[in-house]
Structures are given as structure tokens and as C-alpha cells.
């Protein structure tokens, strides 16, 4: 008999902080992560109205350096990363040879010859392997930096004010989707104006050794503004309200960016590598299909009742025919009703389409088809 | 958290009050409410329904999951808590009080209901 595979649960640098705060922990992609500290609804509302503090150290950082770092990323990813200005960030994807999505990513250009690719925890090894495979022939190096960083996020309308009290960095000059090195509470950090909540906010990449000091400083600085620690549960409802896709739900290897309604991230007009990039040919076909005869479209659904749709539940037409499937669903604290993202047949995808329902354990509950997102912050 | 001594408990995490004129009140425990997270929807049996010990008689939805509600005893439902239907958060904020779910006229009890101390040991 062979030995069973070893499952080692990983802990972030903030693990003892979470335990001291009494967090409910959950396994997420092999990491023991805080699900919630108290009520996930209260945490959600804190991010929408004040501020929330997240530990996102499970995310995977991969550094790409060298004279041809931009060319390598143009080839390996669907975006045009060589055109990204140093100090800016971009939402992009990495696809397989068939155009299927391997992961969605945020790429920061830290310097002329240095990029940081941030992958989802569950896909970090897949992305690292793919980038390493695709590195051949490029004068660039791919480095696994997963252990080099802890990641803290401050999100919400009060986030900028809280951070401003702890840093000399020019936050006003830091645009959305930009990042710059700086010092926060005496800790060296990459300060990025990014997030996954639909709110203004910052993500702070720091050495794991500094994580606890930074967490405590942010908690203290945010106390008067109503900042609370937030877990993964409210992060899911926040991103769902903001219409942001989640890998494994809206995005899979069976889906191309065009099928997910995110074709805009694919840049066919690349100036490097003669326009070659992994997945190009199937993605061109997917783009055409999405234009002329999309099979299904990603839509928003808002419940008329109170029962909550879950991933995998069938979406049905008035006559009971299955016309799609829920990919994510949750009660929306902001709307006060259950909401969902779902892929539905194109003919039922228009906002306002009548008669659409979700089969919730045998009962057809009426749902309204809406355009995404469900929630957009006032700027 | 402490489980009230005067109640009895099922292994499916319902509590049952001492019967008054044969009628007991049923709810879910604080332990179960905490495990569920914020409860957003409760579906209860209807007044007049006959429920059977160990069988599902409703459901509780929270942000992350849906759980069946099991009948801790066999009997007829005599009253349901409309307050908790209107405000499911009561299950979290007052599981042993305002968050009670329904009342049942007991015709038969299973033998494996737990005392408060036994339930505390069961969940620790």
C-alpha cells in the first residue's frame, strides 16, 4: 500500500492574530483562512460604509524580471503588459492553448524590467508552472515569491483616510489600479490601489515578518473610522454585488474570456512577438462566436423572494426548460435580497426577460434578469 | 456559550422546552446558529402539520449554506414564530429566546434527546 497524500495546511503570518480575534477559520485552497470574525453581514456593511481589514496572504505572487519581462508576459497572458506604465496595474488572464481560462490575475509593473503577477491561491502553482513553461526563449526570469509576501487589504470609503495617517506616500497621486513602494507604519510595503470589493481601497504587500505590526497599526489607526477585521465570507458577497467573477465559479478552463463577458481583457493588437500569444487562435474564434452567436451569457439575477440560489442550481424558463446555471449566489446585504450570477441562454439573457426562475431544491423561485454589476459605488 | 439547563437537545442541534399542557417550543442552539453564520431565511412547518422525529420539517439558509431543520420529536405543530420568519437574524441574536422556531404538541419522543450537560459534551 502506498502512503496517502500528505495534506499540510498552510497558515499565514497573521494566524495568531486571527485566533486571538476569535475568527471562524476555514480551509481555502490549502490555507487556513479567517471566514468571519463575527457577523459576516456586519463585516460586509462595514466595507460598504466605513472600512474593513483583510488578510489575503494566501494569494500567490510571482515576480517576472529581465529585459524581456514585458514580452514574456505579452506572450504568456492575454493582455498587453509591455504597454503598461511602471507603477500601474492591470486586470488580465492567463489562458491555455484552447483559450480556456487558467486564472484571472492582477499584474503590477513595478519597474521598467520588473513585474509582479498576483494569482489566486488555488491557481498559484498552475500559473507559476505555465509562466515557467512559457519563459523559454525570452530574456526574462520567473521567480516564485509566494513566501516573500504577506498581503493585507484595507477596503472601504474610509480606507484612504486611515492609510494616510500611517504613510507619507502620495496616496492622492496613486490612481485606481496603480501601485508604488512606500512605508506604512514604519514597514516597507508595495502600496497598491486595488481590491475586490467594489470599494476604494488598498492592498499592501509586505514581508511576512512585518505583517503583524502592520495589521495592528491599521487596526488602531482605523478604530475611530469604524474599521473592522473582515473574513472571506463577506469578501464573497462584496465581490458578487460588484459583479466581479471568481475563479472556479464564473471562470474555468471550460470558459474563454469572451464567454465570460470579459473579452475586453484580450488584446489581439499586441506589438510584441508578431502578435503571437498562447491561446490566440481559439480566442479569435471565441470572439467571433460571442459577437454572432453566443451560446450563453453571464447575467445578474435578483430574487423576488428570499430563498438563496447556490452555485450549480439550474436556471429555468417559464415552461420549466433549463436555460442556464447559477455560478455564484448569496443574500445581498446591500440590496436586501438574494442575488446570483448565472450563465443563461442568450435568448433569455436580456435584462428584464420575463419568466426566468431558479430551481431551488425543486421549487421554481422567480428571478429578475439584470445587467451586472448589482452595486456600483458613488465616486 | 452556555446551553440552558431546563432545555433538552437533539443531536441535530435543536432545543426543546419542557412541555406545558403537552406543548413544547423548538429552536436551534447557539452552537448551530454560530456554525451557520448569519441566517437569512427560515422555512418552518405550517400550523397543523404533523412532524416526525428525525425527519426534516423546514430549512435554514445562511450566507454560505442551507441546512435542513429536523423535527426533534413527533407531533402536531401548533404555532410558528412569525417574528423569526420576518427577521431571521433573531436565530443568531437570540437562539434560545426570540429566535424560537415553532411549538409542537408532542405525541412521541425519541429516546436519545440530550440533557444540557450531555449536549455541551456532544458539541465540545
Amino acid at each position: 500500500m502506498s502512503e496517502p497524500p500528505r495534506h499540510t495546511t498552510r497558515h499565514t503570518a497573521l494566524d495568531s492574530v486571527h485566533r486571538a480575534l476569535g475568527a471562524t477559520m476555514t480551509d481555502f485552497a490549502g490555507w487556513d483562512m479567517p471566514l468571519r470574525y463575527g457577523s459576516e453581514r456586519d463585516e460586509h456593511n462595514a466595507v460598504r460604509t466605513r472600512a474593513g481589514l483583510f488578510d489575503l496572504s494566501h494569494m500567490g505572487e510571482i515576480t517576472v524580471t529581465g529585459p524581456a519581462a514585458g514580452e514574456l508576459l505579452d506572450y504568456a497572458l492575454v493582455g498587453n503588459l509591455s504597454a503598461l506604465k511602471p507603477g500601474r496595474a492591470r486586470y488580465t488572464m492567463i489562458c491555455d492553448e484552447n483559450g480556456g481560462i487558467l486564472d484571472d490575475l492582477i499584474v503590477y509593473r513595478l519597474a521598467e524590467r520588473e513585474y509582479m503577477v498576483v494569482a489566486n491561491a488555488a491557481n498559484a502553482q498552475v500559473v507559476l508552472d505555465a509562466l515557467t513553461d512559457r519563459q523559454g526563449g525570452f530574456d526574462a526570469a520567473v521567480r516564485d515569491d509566494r513566501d516573500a509576501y504577506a498581503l493585507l487589504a484595507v477596503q472601504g470609503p474610509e480606507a484612504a483616510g486611515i492609510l494616510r495617517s500611517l504613510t507619507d506616500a502620495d496616496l492622492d497621486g496613486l490612481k485606481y489600479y496603480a501601485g508604488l513602494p512606500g512605508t506604512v507604519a514604519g514597514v516597507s510595503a508595495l502600496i497598491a490601489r486595488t481590491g475586490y470589493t467594489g470599494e476604494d481601497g488598498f492592498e499592501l504587500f509586505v514581508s511576512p515578518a512585518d505583517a503583524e505590526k502592520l495589521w495592528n497599526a491599521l487596526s488602531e489607526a482605523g478604530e475611530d473610522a469604524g474599521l473592522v477585521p473582515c473574513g472571506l465570507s463577506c469578501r464573497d458577497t462584496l465581490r458578487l454585488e460588484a459583479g466581479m467573477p471568481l475563479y472556479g465559479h464564473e471562470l474555468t478552463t471550460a470558459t474563454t474570456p469572451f464567454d465570460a463577458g470579459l473579452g475586453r481583457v484580450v488584446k489581439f493588437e499586441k506589438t510584441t512577438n508578431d502578435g503571437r500569444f498562447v491561446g490566440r487562435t481559439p480566442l479569435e474564434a471565441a470572439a467571433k462566436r460571442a459577437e454572432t452567436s453566443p451560446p450563453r451569457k453571464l447575467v445578474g439575477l435578483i430574487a423576488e423572494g428570499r430563498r438563496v440560489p447556490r452555485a450549480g442550481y439550474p436556471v429555468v424558463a417559464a415552461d420549466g426548460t433549463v436555460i442556464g446555471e447559477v455560478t455564484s449566489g448569496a443574500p445581498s446585504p446591500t440590496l436586501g435580497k438574494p442575488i446570483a450570477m448565472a450563465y443563461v441562454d442568450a435568448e433569455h439573457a436580456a435584462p428584464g426577460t420575463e419568466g426566468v426562475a431558479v430551481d431551488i431544491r425543486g421549487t421554481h423561485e422567480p428571478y429578475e434578469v439584470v445587467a451586472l454589476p448589482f452595486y456600483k459605488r458613488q465616486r | 456559550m452556555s446551553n440552558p439547563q431546563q432545555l433538552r437537545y437533539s443531536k441535530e442541534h435543536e432545543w426543546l422546552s419542557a412541555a406545558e399542557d403537552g406543548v413544547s417550543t423548538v429552536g436551534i442552539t447557539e452552537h448551530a446558529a454560530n456554525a451557520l453564520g448569519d441566517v437569512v431565511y427560515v422555512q418552518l412547518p405550517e400550523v397543523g402539520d404533523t412532524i416526525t422525529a428525525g425527519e426534516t420539517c423546514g430549512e435554514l439558509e445562511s450566507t454560505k449554506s442551507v441546512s435542513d431543520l429536523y423535527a426533534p420529536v413527533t407531533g402536531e405543530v401548533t404555532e410558528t414564530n412569525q417574528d423569526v420568519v420576518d427577521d431571521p437574524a433573531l436565530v443568531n441574536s437570540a437562539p434560545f429566546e426570540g429566535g424560537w422556531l415553532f411549538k409542537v404538541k408532542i405525541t412521541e419522543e425519541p429516546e436519545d434527546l440530550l440533557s444540557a450537560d450531555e449536549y455541551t459534551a456532544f458539541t465540545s
Side-chain angles (χ1 to χ4, degrees), chain A residues 35 101 181 218:
Chain A
L35 183 65
I101 301 166
L218 288 164

Side-chain angles (χ1 to χ4, degrees), chain A residues 139-327:
Chain A
D139 187 4
V142 175
R143 187 173 77 225
D144 179 2
D145 266 347
R146 282 178 290 180
D147 293 337
Y149 293 106
L151 175 57
L152 281 67
V154 194
Q155 299 277 302
E158 300 288 343
I162 292 165
L163 201 57
R164 195 169 283 123
S165 70
L166 294 174
T167 184
D168 292 336
D170 175 20
L171 297 184
D172 294 328
L174 189 65
K175 294 177 184 155
Y176 190 51
Y177 269 78
L180 58 83
T183 302
V184 182
V187 166
S188 291
L190 170 66
I191 306 168
R193 200 162 202 158
T194 46
Y196 190 55
T197 61
E199 298 302 327
D200 187 19
F202 299 85
E203 295 186 307
L204 306 169
F205 295 85
V206 299
S207 162
D210 292 330
E212 203 169 318
K213 183 182 176 189
L214 181 58
W215 177 281
N216 292 335
L218 288 164
S219 298
E220 200 172 310
E223 204 174 344
D224 290 345
L227 173 122
V228 298
C230 292
L232 295 183
S233 184
C234 79
R235 193 169 163 79
D236 193 43
T237 50
L238 289 160
R239 70 93 194 167
L240 179 56
E241 285 183 353
M244 295 172 173
L246 176 62
Y247 199 86
H249 289 252
E250 287 73 37
L251 311 178
T252 68
T253 49
T255 311
T256 71
F258 293 96
D259 298 317
L262 292 164
R264 63 178 183 278
V265 305
V266 181
K267 307 297 181 194
F268 291 117
E269 290 75 38
K270 299 195 194 193
T271 53
T272 53
N273 313 310
D274 301 325
R276 282 185 315 118
F277 65 93
V278 177
R280 177 173 187 126
T281 306
L283 285 171
E284 281 173 335
K288 201 168 179 183
R289 189 172 63 235
E291 189 78 18
T292 56
S293 58
R296 285 188 168 177
K297 286 185 167 179
L298 188 64
V299 300
L301 299 174
I302 299 179
E304 289 171 27
R306 293 169 73 174
R307 298 180 84 197
V308 184
R310 308 282 173 186
Y313 284 11
V315 181
V316 294
D319 64 359
T321 319
V322 175
I323 55 166
E325 188 177 301
V326 171
T327 49

Side-chain angles (χ1 to χ4, degrees), chain A residues 301-309 313-317 326 338 355-368, chain B residues 41 43 59 61:
Chain A
L301 299 174
I302 299 179
E304 289 171 27
R306 293 169 73 174
R307 298 180 84 197
V308 184
Y313 284 11
V315 181
V316 294
V326 171
V356 170
V358 176
D359 184 335
I360 298 186
R361 300 181 294 282
T363 310
H364 293 182
E365 297 281 338
Y367 272 74
E368 184 189 353
Chain B
Y41 172 80
Q43 185 189 49
E59 61 185 34
E61 295 242 21

Side-chain angles (χ1 to χ4, degrees), chain A residues 105-117:
Chain A
L105 308 164
I106 306 269
V107 176
Y108 299 87
R109 188 169 198 173
L110 303 181
E112 192 63 37
R113 295 178 172 195
E114 183 176 359
Y115 293 80
M116 182 168 72
V117 177

Side-chain angles (χ1 to χ4, degrees), chain B residues 6-82:
Chain B
Q6 71 277 18
L7 304 178
R8 288 181 299 158
Y9 299 85
S10 75
K11 288 182 178 171
E12 281 82 29
H13 309 286
E14 284 85 29
W15 56 261
L16 184 74
S17 73
E20 284 178 35
D21 300 330
V23 175
S24 285
T25 305
V26 174
I28 68 158
T29 66
E30 188 174 3
H31 172 85
N34 285 346
L36 282 171
D38 291 329
V39 175
V40 295
Y41 172 80
V42 298
Q43 185 189 49
L44 301 176
E46 290 182 19
V47 173
D49 281 359
T50 298
I51 57 173
T52 305
E55 293 189 2
T56 61
C57 63
E59 61 185 34
L60 299 166
E61 295 242 21
S62 66
T63 305
K64 296 306 280 181
S65 64
V66 56
S67 301
D68 284 326
L69 175 65
Y70 292 91
V73 292
T74 299
E76 186 187 322
V77 175
T78 61
E79 191 179 343
T80 58
N81 185 0
Q82 189 58 40

